[in-house]
PDB file of all heavy atoms in Angstrom:
ATOM      1  N   THR I 233     104.849  56.983 138.381  1.00  0.00           N
ATOM      2  CA  THR I 233     103.469  57.403 138.099  1.00  0.00           C
ATOM      3  C   THR I 233     102.422  56.898 139.090  1.00  0.00           C
ATOM      4  O   THR I 233     101.729  57.696 139.689  1.00  0.00           O
ATOM      5  CB  THR I 233     103.072  57.082 136.647  1.00  0.00           C
ATOM      6  OG1 THR I 233     104.041  57.679 135.779  1.00  0.00           O
ATOM      7  CG2 THR I 233     101.712  57.619 136.296  1.00  0.00           C
ATOM      8  N   ARG I 234     102.238  55.605 139.235  1.00  0.00           N
ATOM      9  CA  ARG I 234     101.258  55.021 140.159  1.00  0.00           C
ATOM     10  C   ARG I 234     101.784  53.674 140.644  1.00  0.00           C
ATOM     11  O   ARG I 234     102.544  53.001 139.939  1.00  0.00           O
ATOM     12  CB  ARG I 234      99.897  54.773 139.495  1.00  0.00           C
ATOM     13  CG  ARG I 234      99.218  55.984 138.911  1.00  0.00           C
ATOM     14  CD  ARG I 234      98.650  56.913 139.978  1.00  0.00           C
ATOM     15  NE  ARG I 234      97.928  58.012 139.381  1.00  0.00           N
ATOM     16  CZ  ARG I 234      98.474  59.146 138.934  1.00  0.00           C
ATOM     17  NH1 ARG I 234      99.786  59.342 139.010  1.00  0.00           N
ATOM     18  NH2 ARG I 234      97.726  60.104 138.405  1.00  0.00           N
ATOM     19  N   ILE I 235     101.293  53.270 141.830  1.00  0.00           N
ATOM     20  CA  ILE I 235     101.632  51.960 142.392  1.00  0.00           C
ATOM     21  C   ILE I 235     100.341  51.276 142.822  1.00  0.00           C
ATOM     22  O   ILE I 235      99.522  51.864 143.534  1.00  0.00           O
ATOM     23  CB  ILE I 235     102.548  52.090 143.628  1.00  0.00           C
ATOM     24  CG1 ILE I 235     103.890  52.749 143.261  1.00  0.00           C
ATOM     25  CG2 ILE I 235     102.781  50.727 144.287  1.00  0.00           C
ATOM     26  CD1 ILE I 235     104.744  53.123 144.460  1.00  0.00           C
ATOM     27  N   LEU I 236     100.178  50.030 142.393  1.00  0.00           N
ATOM     28  CA  LEU I 236      99.154  49.141 142.938  1.00  0.00           C
ATOM     29  C   LEU I 236      99.928  48.094 143.732  1.00  0.00           C
ATOM     30  O   LEU I 236     100.629  47.251 143.151  1.00  0.00           O
ATOM     31  CB  LEU I 236      98.347  48.464 141.829  1.00  0.00           C
ATOM     32  CG  LEU I 236      97.565  49.383 140.900  1.00  0.00           C
ATOM     33  CD1 LEU I 236      96.944  48.594 139.762  1.00  0.00           C
ATOM     34  CD2 LEU I 236      96.493  50.128 141.655  1.00  0.00           C
ATOM     35  N   ARG I 237      99.861  48.182 145.046  1.00  0.00           N
ATOM     36  CA  ARG I 237     100.612  47.247 145.884  1.00  0.00           C
ATOM     37  C   ARG I 237      99.829  45.955 146.026  1.00  0.00           C
ATOM     38  O   ARG I 237      98.597  45.976 146.179  1.00  0.00           O
ATOM     39  CB  ARG I 237     100.881  47.849 147.268  1.00  0.00           C
ATOM     40  CG  ARG I 237     101.835  46.986 148.075  1.00  0.00           C
ATOM     41  CD  ARG I 237     102.368  47.662 149.282  1.00  0.00           C
ATOM     42  NE  ARG I 237     103.360  46.821 149.933  1.00  0.00           N
ATOM     43  CZ  ARG I 237     103.876  47.091 151.101  1.00  0.00           C
ATOM     44  NH1 ARG I 237     103.515  48.177 151.762  1.00  0.00           N
ATOM     45  NH2 ARG I 237     104.767  46.284 151.634  1.00  0.00           N
ATOM     46  N   LEU I 238     100.541  44.837 145.997  1.00  0.00           N
ATOM     47  CA  LEU I 238      99.910  43.525 145.998  1.00  0.00           C
ATOM     48  C   LEU I 238     100.175  42.764 147.290  1.00  0.00           C
ATOM     49  O   LEU I 238     101.269  42.828 147.853  1.00  0.00           O
ATOM     50  CB  LEU I 238     100.415  42.700 144.810  1.00  0.00           C
ATOM     51  CG  LEU I 238     100.224  43.338 143.442  1.00  0.00           C
ATOM     52  CD1 LEU I 238     100.853  42.465 142.365  1.00  0.00           C
ATOM     53  CD2 LEU I 238      98.747  43.577 143.161  1.00  0.00           C
ATOM     54  N   MET I 239      99.160  42.020 147.695  1.00  0.00           N
ATOM     55  CA  MET I 239      99.266  41.126 148.831  1.00  0.00           C
ATOM     56  C   MET I 239      98.909  39.724 148.340  1.00  0.00           C
ATOM     57  O   MET I 239      97.844  39.512 147.747  1.00  0.00           O
ATOM     58  CB  MET I 239      98.282  41.562 149.929  1.00  0.00           C
ATOM     59  CG  MET I 239      98.271  40.649 151.132  1.00  0.00           C
ATOM     60  SD  MET I 239      97.198  41.274 152.467  1.00  0.00           S
ATOM     61  CE  MET I 239      95.597  41.283 151.671  1.00  0.00           C
ATOM     62  N   GLY I 240      99.818  38.780 148.557  1.00  0.00           N
ATOM     63  CA  GLY I 240      99.547  37.399 148.179  1.00  0.00           C
ATOM     64  C   GLY I 240      98.428  36.817 149.027  1.00  0.00           C
ATOM     65  O   GLY I 240      98.307  37.134 150.216  1.00  0.00           O
ATOM     66  N   LEU I 241      97.620  35.970 148.416  1.00  0.00           N
ATOM     67  CA  LEU I 241      96.486  35.360 149.117  1.00  0.00           C
ATOM     68  C   LEU I 241      96.636  33.854 149.304  1.00  0.00           C
ATOM     69  O   LEU I 241      95.749  33.219 149.861  1.00  0.00           O
ATOM     70  CB  LEU I 241      95.183  35.654 148.358  1.00  0.00           C
ATOM     71  CG  LEU I 241      94.780  37.124 148.283  1.00  0.00           C
ATOM     72  CD1 LEU I 241      93.544  37.290 147.407  1.00  0.00           C
ATOM     73  CD2 LEU I 241      94.549  37.705 149.668  1.00  0.00           C
ATOM     74  N   GLU I 242      97.754  33.297 148.820  1.00  0.00           N
ATOM     75  CA  GLU I 242      97.940  31.848 148.894  1.00  0.00           C
ATOM     76  C   GLU I 242      99.061  31.525 149.880  1.00  0.00           C
ATOM     77  O   GLU I 242     100.244  31.701 149.572  1.00  0.00           O
ATOM     78  CB  GLU I 242      98.241  31.276 147.513  1.00  0.00           C
ATOM     79  CG  GLU I 242      97.089  31.456 146.552  1.00  0.00           C
ATOM     80  CD  GLU I 242      97.302  30.746 145.238  1.00  0.00           C
ATOM     81  OE1 GLU I 242      97.492  29.504 145.265  1.00  0.00           O
ATOM     82  OE2 GLU I 242      97.290  31.425 144.191  1.00  0.00           O
ATOM     83  N   LYS I 243      98.650  31.047 151.062  1.00  0.00           N
ATOM     84  CA  LYS I 243      99.606  30.727 152.121  1.00  0.00           C
ATOM     85  C   LYS I 243     100.662  29.746 151.602  1.00  0.00           C
ATOM     86  O   LYS I 243     100.350  28.782 150.919  1.00  0.00           O
ATOM     87  CB  LYS I 243      98.867  30.125 153.319  1.00  0.00           C
ATOM     88  CG  LYS I 243      99.719  29.927 154.546  1.00  0.00           C
ATOM     89  CD  LYS I 243      98.856  29.566 155.733  1.00  0.00           C
ATOM     90  CE  LYS I 243      99.608  29.200 156.974  1.00  0.00           C
ATOM     91  NZ  LYS I 243     100.878  29.758 157.218  1.00  0.00           N
ATOM     92  N   ASP I 244     101.898  30.048 151.911  1.00  0.00           N
ATOM     93  CA  ASP I 244     103.075  29.248 151.542  1.00  0.00           C
ATOM     94  C   ASP I 244     103.407  29.271 150.051  1.00  0.00           C
ATOM     95  O   ASP I 244     104.353  28.621 149.621  1.00  0.00           O
ATOM     96  CB  ASP I 244     102.963  27.798 152.031  1.00  0.00           C
ATOM     97  CG  ASP I 244     102.862  27.718 153.546  1.00  0.00           C
ATOM     98  OD1 ASP I 244     103.485  28.550 154.238  1.00  0.00           O
ATOM     99  OD2 ASP I 244     102.137  26.820 154.040  1.00  0.00           O
ATOM    100  N   LEU I 245     102.636  29.997 149.260  1.00  0.00           N
ATOM    101  CA  LEU I 245     102.985  30.201 147.849  1.00  0.00           C
ATOM    102  C   LEU I 245     103.430  31.650 147.652  1.00  0.00           C
ATOM    103  O   LEU I 245     104.522  31.908 147.153  1.00  0.00           O
ATOM    104  CB  LEU I 245     101.811  29.876 146.913  1.00  0.00           C
ATOM    105  CG  LEU I 245     102.105  30.161 145.434  1.00  0.00           C
ATOM    106  CD1 LEU I 245     103.135  29.169 144.899  1.00  0.00           C
ATOM    107  CD2 LEU I 245     100.843  30.124 144.604  1.00  0.00           C
ATOM    108  N   ASN I 246     102.562  32.601 148.029  1.00  0.00           N
ATOM    109  CA  ASN I 246     102.899  34.026 147.900  1.00  0.00           C
ATOM    110  C   ASN I 246     102.512  34.814 149.156  1.00  0.00           C
ATOM    111  O   ASN I 246     102.463  36.023 149.142  1.00  0.00           O
ATOM    112  CB  ASN I 246     102.255  34.630 146.653  1.00  0.00           C
ATOM    113  CG  ASN I 246     100.750  34.448 146.612  1.00  0.00           C
ATOM    114  OD1 ASN I 246     100.075  34.426 147.640  1.00  0.00           O
ATOM    115  ND2 ASN I 246     100.208  34.321 145.418  1.00  0.00           N
ATOM    116  N   GLN I 247     102.244  34.096 150.238  1.00  0.00           N
ATOM    117  CA  GLN I 247     101.861  34.720 151.505  1.00  0.00           C
ATOM    118  C   GLN I 247     102.574  34.011 152.653  1.00  0.00           C
ATOM    119  O   GLN I 247     102.532  32.782 152.745  1.00  0.00           O
ATOM    120  CB  GLN I 247     100.354  34.620 151.711  1.00  0.00           C
ATOM    121  CG  GLN I 247      99.859  35.262 152.994  1.00  0.00           C
ATOM    122  CD  GLN I 247      98.410  34.914 153.246  1.00  0.00           C
ATOM    123  OE1 GLN I 247      98.100  33.793 153.647  1.00  0.00           O
ATOM    124  NE2 GLN I 247      97.524  35.864 152.997  1.00  0.00           N
ATOM    125  N   GLY I 248     103.250  34.794 153.481  1.00  0.00           N
ATOM    126  CA  GLY I 248     103.911  34.254 154.668  1.00  0.00           C
ATOM    127  C   GLY I 248     105.353  33.839 154.417  1.00  0.00           C
ATOM    128  O   GLY I 248     105.781  33.640 153.281  1.00  0.00           O
ATOM    129  N   GLY I 249     106.091  33.749 155.494  1.00  0.00           N
ATOM    130  CA  GLY I 249     107.468  33.263 155.449  1.00  0.00           C
ATOM    131  C   GLY I 249     108.329  33.949 154.409  1.00  0.00           C
ATOM    132  O   GLY I 249     108.306  35.166 154.265  1.00  0.00           O
ATOM    133  N   LYS I 250     109.065  33.153 153.657  1.00  0.00           N
ATOM    134  CA  LYS I 250     110.013  33.677 152.658  1.00  0.00           C
ATOM    135  C   LYS I 250     109.397  33.824 151.270  1.00  0.00           C
ATOM    136  O   LYS I 250     110.112  33.973 150.284  1.00  0.00           O
ATOM    137  CB  LYS I 250     111.238  32.763 152.588  1.00  0.00           C
ATOM    138  CG  LYS I 250     112.030  32.770 153.868  1.00  0.00           C
ATOM    139  CD  LYS I 250     113.273  31.921 153.757  1.00  0.00           C
ATOM    140  CE  LYS I 250     114.003  31.956 155.079  1.00  0.00           C
ATOM    141  NZ  LYS I 250     115.384  32.308 154.928  1.00  0.00           N
ATOM    142  N   VAL I 251     108.066  33.774 151.204  1.00  0.00           N
ATOM    143  CA  VAL I 251     107.375  33.889 149.910  1.00  0.00           C
ATOM    144  C   VAL I 251     106.322  34.995 149.915  1.00  0.00           C
ATOM    145  O   VAL I 251     105.434  34.999 149.068  1.00  0.00           O
ATOM    146  CB  VAL I 251     106.730  32.546 149.489  1.00  0.00           C
ATOM    147  CG1 VAL I 251     107.771  31.476 149.246  1.00  0.00           C
ATOM    148  CG2 VAL I 251     105.708  32.077 150.529  1.00  0.00           C
ATOM    149  N   ASP I 252     106.423  35.945 150.833  1.00  0.00           N
ATOM    150  CA  ASP I 252     105.372  36.929 151.028  1.00  0.00           C
ATOM    151  C   ASP I 252     105.479  38.093 150.029  1.00  0.00           C
ATOM    152  O   ASP I 252     106.389  38.920 150.122  1.00  0.00           O
ATOM    153  CB  ASP I 252     105.434  37.466 152.457  1.00  0.00           C
ATOM    154  CG  ASP I 252     104.137  38.124 152.845  1.00  0.00           C
ATOM    155  OD1 ASP I 252     103.905  39.268 152.418  1.00  0.00           O
ATOM    156  OD2 ASP I 252     103.353  37.489 153.566  1.00  0.00           O
ATOM    157  N   SER I 253     104.558  38.160 149.075  1.00  0.00           N
ATOM    158  CA  SER I 253     104.574  39.208 148.048  1.00  0.00           C
ATOM    159  C   SER I 253     104.479  40.605 148.649  1.00  0.00           C
ATOM    160  O   SER I 253     105.110  41.541 148.156  1.00  0.00           O
ATOM    161  CB  SER I 253     103.423  39.017 147.053  1.00  0.00           C
ATOM    162  OG  SER I 253     103.611  37.846 146.293  1.00  0.00           O
ATOM    163  N   PHE I 254     103.698  40.761 149.710  1.00  0.00           N
ATOM    164  CA  PHE I 254     103.553  42.075 150.345  1.00  0.00           C
ATOM    165  C   PHE I 254     104.887  42.525 150.935  1.00  0.00           C
ATOM    166  O   PHE I 254     105.333  43.644 150.694  1.00  0.00           O
ATOM    167  CB  PHE I 254     102.462  42.021 151.422  1.00  0.00           C
ATOM    168  CG  PHE I 254     102.183  43.342 152.066  1.00  0.00           C
ATOM    169  CD1 PHE I 254     101.352  44.263 151.452  1.00  0.00           C
ATOM    170  CD2 PHE I 254     102.749  43.671 153.291  1.00  0.00           C
ATOM    171  CE1 PHE I 254     101.082  45.500 152.044  1.00  0.00           C
ATOM    172  CE2 PHE I 254     102.490  44.891 153.891  1.00  0.00           C
ATOM    173  CZ  PHE I 254     101.655  45.807 153.268  1.00  0.00           C
ATOM    174  N   ARG I 255     105.529  41.658 151.686  1.00  0.00           N
ATOM    175  CA  ARG I 255     106.823  42.008 152.301  1.00  0.00           C
ATOM    176  C   ARG I 255     107.935  42.126 151.271  1.00  0.00           C
ATOM    177  O   ARG I 255     108.946  42.772 151.520  1.00  0.00           O
ATOM    178  CB  ARG I 255     107.196  40.993 153.373  1.00  0.00           C
ATOM    179  CG  ARG I 255     106.358  41.159 154.629  1.00  0.00           C
ATOM    180  CD  ARG I 255     106.973  40.522 155.850  1.00  0.00           C
ATOM    181  NE  ARG I 255     107.626  39.257 155.620  1.00  0.00           N
ATOM    182  CZ  ARG I 255     107.173  38.086 156.043  1.00  0.00           C
ATOM    183  NH1 ARG I 255     106.063  38.010 156.731  1.00  0.00           N
ATOM    184  NH2 ARG I 255     107.840  36.987 155.788  1.00  0.00           N
ATOM    185  N   ARG I 256     107.743  41.516 150.107  1.00  0.00           N
ATOM    186  CA  ARG I 256     108.717  41.652 149.010  1.00  0.00           C
ATOM    187  C   ARG I 256     108.503  42.953 148.237  1.00  0.00           C
ATOM    188  O   ARG I 256     109.259  43.260 147.336  1.00  0.00           O
ATOM    189  CB  ARG I 256     108.593  40.466 148.031  1.00  0.00           C
ATOM    190  CG  ARG I 256     109.115  39.157 148.576  1.00  0.00           C
ATOM    191  CD  ARG I 256     108.980  38.054 147.542  1.00  0.00           C
ATOM    192  NE  ARG I 256     109.766  38.368 146.349  1.00  0.00           N
ATOM    193  CZ  ARG I 256     109.530  37.850 145.147  1.00  0.00           C
ATOM    194  NH1 ARG I 256     108.544  36.993 144.962  1.00  0.00           N
ATOM    195  NH2 ARG I 256     110.283  38.190 144.128  1.00  0.00           N
ATOM    196  N   PHE I 257     107.445  43.689 148.551  1.00  0.00           N
ATOM    197  CA  PHE I 257     107.113  44.943 147.862  1.00  0.00           C
ATOM    198  C   PHE I 257     106.871  44.704 146.364  1.00  0.00           C
ATOM    199  O   PHE I 257     107.443  45.370 145.515  1.00  0.00           O
ATOM    200  CB  PHE I 257     108.199  46.001 148.087  1.00  0.00           C
ATOM    201  CG  PHE I 257     108.454  46.287 149.538  1.00  0.00           C
ATOM    202  CD1 PHE I 257     109.583  45.797 150.175  1.00  0.00           C
ATOM    203  CD2 PHE I 257     107.527  47.011 150.269  1.00  0.00           C
ATOM    204  CE1 PHE I 257     109.799  46.043 151.523  1.00  0.00           C
ATOM    205  CE2 PHE I 257     107.734  47.265 151.628  1.00  0.00           C
ATOM    206  CZ  PHE I 257     108.878  46.771 152.253  1.00  0.00           C
ATOM    207  N   ILE I 258     105.997  43.747 146.083  1.00  0.00           N
ATOM    208  CA  ILE I 258     105.605  43.459 144.704  1.00  0.00           C
ATOM    209  C   ILE I 258     104.453  44.393 144.331  1.00  0.00           C
ATOM    210  O   ILE I 258     103.449  44.466 145.040  1.00  0.00           O
ATOM    211  CB  ILE I 258     105.186  41.982 144.538  1.00  0.00           C
ATOM    212  CG1 ILE I 258     106.350  41.046 144.896  1.00  0.00           C
ATOM    213  CG2 ILE I 258     104.673  41.718 143.127  1.00  0.00           C
ATOM    214  CD1 ILE I 258     107.583  41.161 143.999  1.00  0.00           C
ATOM    215  N   TYR I 259     104.632  45.099 143.216  1.00  0.00           N
ATOM    216  CA  TYR I 259     103.664  46.093 142.758  1.00  0.00           C
ATOM    217  C   TYR I 259     103.339  45.896 141.274  1.00  0.00           C
ATOM    218  O   TYR I 259     104.088  45.269 140.535  1.00  0.00           O
ATOM    219  CB  TYR I 259     104.232  47.522 142.832  1.00  0.00           C
ATOM    220  CG  TYR I 259     104.953  47.951 144.058  1.00  0.00           C
ATOM    221  CD1 TYR I 259     106.112  48.716 143.951  1.00  0.00           C
ATOM    222  CD2 TYR I 259     104.483  47.658 145.329  1.00  0.00           C
ATOM    223  CE1 TYR I 259     106.787  49.179 145.065  1.00  0.00           C
ATOM    224  CE2 TYR I 259     105.157  48.120 146.462  1.00  0.00           C
ATOM    225  CZ  TYR I 259     106.306  48.869 146.324  1.00  0.00           C
ATOM    226  OH  TYR I 259     106.967  49.329 147.432  1.00  0.00           O
ATOM    227  N   VAL I 260     102.275  46.573 140.851  1.00  0.00           N
ATOM    228  CA  VAL I 260     102.071  46.950 139.458  1.00  0.00           C
ATOM    229  C   VAL I 260     102.392  48.440 139.448  1.00  0.00           C
ATOM    230  O   VAL I 260     101.851  49.194 140.270  1.00  0.00           O
ATOM    231  CB  VAL I 260     100.617  46.712 139.000  1.00  0.00           C
ATOM    232  CG1 VAL I 260     100.441  47.180 137.559  1.00  0.00           C
ATOM    233  CG2 VAL I 260     100.216  45.250 139.155  1.00  0.00           C
ATOM    234  N   HIS I 261     103.294  48.872 138.566  1.00  0.00           N
ATOM    235  CA  HIS I 261     103.696  50.282 138.561  1.00  0.00           C
ATOM    236  C   HIS I 261     104.164  50.716 137.183  1.00  0.00           C
ATOM    237  O   HIS I 261     104.427  49.889 136.309  1.00  0.00           O
ATOM    238  CB  HIS I 261     104.780  50.547 139.613  1.00  0.00           C
ATOM    239  CG  HIS I 261     106.092  49.853 139.382  1.00  0.00           C
ATOM    240  ND1 HIS I 261     107.043  50.320 138.505  1.00  0.00           N
ATOM    241  CD2 HIS I 261     106.604  48.741 139.941  1.00  0.00           C
ATOM    242  CE1 HIS I 261     108.093  49.518 138.535  1.00  0.00           C
ATOM    243  NE2 HIS I 261     107.855  48.541 139.386  1.00  0.00           N
ATOM    244  N   GLY I 262     104.297  52.024 137.012  1.00  0.00           N
ATOM    245  CA  GLY I 262     104.846  52.579 135.781  1.00  0.00           C
ATOM    246  C   GLY I 262     106.356  52.429 135.757  1.00  0.00           C
ATOM    247  O   GLY I 262     106.989  52.133 136.779  1.00  0.00           O
ATOM    248  N   THR I 263     106.923  52.654 134.567  1.00  0.00           N
ATOM    249  CA  THR I 263     108.373  52.510 134.400  1.00  0.00           C
ATOM    250  C   THR I 263     108.936  53.643 133.553  1.00  0.00           C
ATOM    251  O   THR I 263     108.246  54.182 132.692  1.00  0.00           O
ATOM    252  CB  THR I 263     108.731  51.152 133.752  1.00  0.00           C
ATOM    253  OG1 THR I 263     110.146  51.062 133.594  1.00  0.00           O
ATOM    254  CG2 THR I 263     108.061  50.980 132.389  1.00  0.00           C
ATOM    255  N   ASN I 264     110.189  53.943 133.779  1.00  0.00           N
ATOM    256  CA  ASN I 264     110.897  54.913 132.943  1.00  0.00           C
ATOM    257  C   ASN I 264     111.549  54.231 131.745  1.00  0.00           C
ATOM    258  O   ASN I 264     112.220  54.888 130.952  1.00  0.00           O
ATOM    259  CB  ASN I 264     111.954  55.666 133.761  1.00  0.00           C
ATOM    260  CG  ASN I 264     112.973  54.754 134.406  1.00  0.00           C
ATOM    261  OD1 ASN I 264     112.621  53.719 134.978  1.00  0.00           O
ATOM    262  ND2 ASN I 264     114.230  55.120 134.341  1.00  0.00           N
ATOM    263  N   HIS I 265     111.360  52.929 131.592  1.00  0.00           N
ATOM    264  CA  HIS I 265     111.915  52.176 130.467  1.00  0.00           C
ATOM    265  C   HIS I 265     110.793  51.506 129.673  1.00  0.00           C
ATOM    266  O   HIS I 265     110.766  50.283 129.506  1.00  0.00           O
ATOM    267  CB  HIS I 265     112.924  51.137 130.965  1.00  0.00           C
ATOM    268  CG  HIS I 265     114.142  51.744 131.585  1.00  0.00           C
ATOM    269  ND1 HIS I 265     115.098  52.390 130.851  1.00  0.00           N
ATOM    270  CD2 HIS I 265     114.532  51.829 132.878  1.00  0.00           C
ATOM    271  CE1 HIS I 265     116.048  52.841 131.656  1.00  0.00           C
ATOM    272  NE2 HIS I 265     115.721  52.516 132.904  1.00  0.00           N
ATOM    273  N   GLU I 266     109.882  52.325 129.154  1.00  0.00           N
ATOM    274  CA  GLU I 266     108.725  51.794 128.428  1.00  0.00           C
ATOM    275  C   GLU I 266     109.119  51.006 127.187  1.00  0.00           C
ATOM    276  O   GLU I 266     108.365  50.155 126.729  1.00  0.00           O
ATOM    277  CB  GLU I 266     107.771  52.929 128.056  1.00  0.00           C
ATOM    278  CG  GLU I 266     107.100  53.547 129.267  1.00  0.00           C
ATOM    279  CD  GLU I 266     106.130  54.653 128.912  1.00  0.00           C
ATOM    280  OE1 GLU I 266     106.120  55.134 127.755  1.00  0.00           O
ATOM    281  OE2 GLU I 266     105.363  55.053 129.810  1.00  0.00           O
ATOM    282  N   GLN I 267     110.305  51.266 126.645  1.00  0.00           N
ATOM    283  CA  GLN I 267     110.766  50.545 125.460  1.00  0.00           C
ATOM    284  C   GLN I 267     110.953  49.048 125.747  1.00  0.00           C
ATOM    285  O   GLN I 267     111.000  48.243 124.818  1.00  0.00           O
ATOM    286  CB  GLN I 267     112.073  51.154 124.911  1.00  0.00           C
ATOM    287  CG  GLN I 267     113.311  50.921 125.756  1.00  0.00           C
ATOM    288  CD  GLN I 267     113.490  51.890 126.931  1.00  0.00           C
ATOM    289  OE1 GLN I 267     112.602  52.685 127.237  1.00  0.00           O
ATOM    290  NE2 GLN I 267     114.634  51.826 127.590  1.00  0.00           N
ATOM    291  N   ASN I 268     111.021  48.657 127.021  1.00  0.00           N
ATOM    292  CA  ASN I 268     111.207  47.247 127.378  1.00  0.00           C
ATOM    293  C   ASN I 268     109.894  46.503 127.611  1.00  0.00           C
ATOM    294  O   ASN I 268     109.912  45.298 127.862  1.00  0.00           O
ATOM    295  CB  ASN I 268     112.077  47.132 128.635  1.00  0.00           C
ATOM    296  CG  ASN I 268     113.496  47.566 128.382  1.00  0.00           C
ATOM    297  OD1 ASN I 268     114.023  47.419 127.279  1.00  0.00           O
ATOM    298  ND2 ASN I 268     114.131  48.124 129.395  1.00  0.00           N
TER     299      ASN I 268
END
């Protein structure tokens, strides 16, 4: 349905290196399993 793509703003927590939310493709999105 829709995607809100997220970018982490906290260096070394969710931004950069092996913790980068953007490069991990972290989104807010719809699901086909609404029962969950």
Side-chain angles (χ1 to χ4, degrees):
T233 305
R234 301 287 184 276
I235 298 170
L236 299 174
R237 189 167 185 188
L238 304 176
M239 177 175 62
L241 296 175
E242 296 187 58
K243 188 170 174 29
D244 299 326
L245 176 69
N246 56 32
Q247 181 190 75
K250 295 183 181 232
V251 296
D252 199 282
S253 293
F254 184 82
R255 286 199 321 250
R256 288 181 61 202
F257 303 105
I258 300 297
Y259 314 139
V260 177
H261 65 80
T263 179
N264 58 316
H265 294 289
E266 292 181 347
Q267 71 278 8
N268 292 329

